[in-house]
Amino acid sequence: MIPAVSDQNRSAGEGQPRSVEDEQSRAAGGGGEGLRYLLVLSRPRFWLYLAGPVAVGVTYGIDAVSGLFTPVTVALALYFLVPANVFLYGVNDVFDADIDELNPKKEGREARWQGSRPVVAAVVASGALGLATLAITPRVAWPYLLGFLVLAVGYSAPPVRFKTTPFLDSLSNGLYALPGAAAYATVAGAHPPLAALAGAWLWTMGMHTFSAIPDIEPDRAAGIDTTATLLGEGRTYAYCFAAWAAAAAGFWAVDARLGALLGVYPVFVAWVARSSVSVDRAYWWFPALNTVVGTLLSMGGLWRVYPLWEALP
């Protein structure tokens, strides 16, 4: 399942050594170095934040195991695994180029924007590939696919630039739930349950805002307004708890077992808020936590059509 969504809003710190800048400049060039730069730009650590919901959506939308791997489901999974991340984070990096010059996070796990023509072309092509998914999916899935593309641009790009408007930054991150909704609609031929969609959207809101807590002071210094900078650390923890508790309630309305599983998130944020663990450190645990929860969700969907006892020898 799908944030390090805060990777789209961290924005302050110190510059980097010239040698690193030179290396990144070369990486934005052609050939293998250009591909390496695109790989870094796409945030591989967080690929499953878009591709994971596709797996969940498919497993709950199918009515037989034969529907699990089809040309369409595989195409959606592959698009949201890499190209969608190139598009999402590429748009983000284009419009954050100035503030990212002072972002220390860009010195290690990520790279500062290097706007060479091949890189720009790859970002544009990734967006076009997203539009191409409309040709292989039923109409019922189109609102979710188009919604993802619109929000992926609107989150970072003017004139709306949701990421700099408190509460809209959180609300717009429902884009991470849309690949799963599109996948469900594709295989089921119907919209996902409203309670599940609402729960998934609320989950992304909590995840985005939690991941913005380490950026409160840097964002304030850079003059960037976010939900976290407006609320402050203590109230942001409470906001995340409320969003995740509501998300668990939404999933509970679909199936009590799903609600119980999603209940790990409000417990997690309450523990972080009351413990001595740094939120900067807890933030990097999210990929592992989300992978475990997403795997369990997907397994639950599979067991609907292929019960566990039938899989056992």
Side-chain angles (χ1 to χ4, degrees), residues 187-236:
V187 298
H191 295 289
L194 183 59
L197 184 58
W201 203 289
L202 286 160
W203 172 77
T204 66
M205 290 171 60
M207 185 169 60
H208 167 270
T209 309
F210 177 80
S211 67
I213 295 175
D215 300 324
I216 289 177
E217 294 308 320
D219 282 348
R220 284 175 174 170
I224 296 176
D225 295 324
T226 68
T227 302
T229 63
L230 176 67
L231 296 178
E233 183 171 341
R235 286 186 293 180
T236 301

Side-chain angles (χ1 to χ4, degrees), residues 37-262:
Y37 171 76
L38 283 173
L39 184 68
V40 175
L41 175 147
S42 69
R43 320 296 204 264
R45 185 179 178 91
F46 308 120
W47 281 355
L48 289 180
Y49 288 167
L50 292 178
V54 173
V56 174
V58 168
T59 57
Y60 283 92
I62 59 176
D63 55 13
V65 176
S66 59
L68 190 59
F69 296 105
T70 69
V72 176
T73 61
V74 171
L76 286 176
L78 290 176
Y79 174 70
F80 283 106
L81 182 66
V82 182
N85 282 288
V86 171
F87 180 63
L88 175 64
Y89 292 114
V91 172
N92 173 81
D93 288 0
V94 168
F95 293 100
D96 275 8
D98 291 341
I99 58 177
D100 279 346
E101 286 297 322
L102 299 176
N103 188 342
K105 184 165 56 68
K106 297 294 180 177
E107 297 175 13
R109 298 176 187 266
E110 300 174 15
R112 290 179 172 85
W113 171 253
Q114 302 291 336
S116 68
R117 289 184 180 179
V119 171
V120 173
V123 173
V124 172
S126 296
L129 193 59
L131 287 173
T133 62
L134 300 179
I136 62 172
T137 52
R139 289 179 180 270
V140 69
W142 291 2
Y144 307 111
L145 294 170
L146 291 173
F148 168 79
L149 295 172
V150 169
L151 289 176
V153 174
Y155 181 79
S156 300
V160 289
R161 198 162 160 78
F162 295 127
K163 68 185 297 179
T164 60
T165 304
F167 299 112
L168 284 181
D169 59 342
S170 175
L171 183 64
S172 64
N173 265 261
L175 67 91
Y176 281 88
L178 294 178
Y184 179 97
T186 295
V187 298
H191 295 289
L194 183 59
L197 184 58
W201 203 289
L202 286 160
W203 172 77
T204 66
M205 290 171 60
M207 185 169 60
H208 167 270
T209 309
F210 177 80
S211 67
I213 295 175
D215 300 324
I216 289 177
E217 294 308 320
D219 282 348
R220 284 175 174 170
I224 296 176
D225 295 324
T226 68
T227 302
T229 63
L230 176 67
L231 296 178
E233 183 171 341
R235 286 186 293 180
T236 301
Y237 282 127
Y239 176 92
C240 295
F241 180 91
W244 278 331
F251 280 99
W252 187 283
V254 178
D255 189 304
R257 293 166 294 184
L258 300 180
L261 180 58
L262 268 291

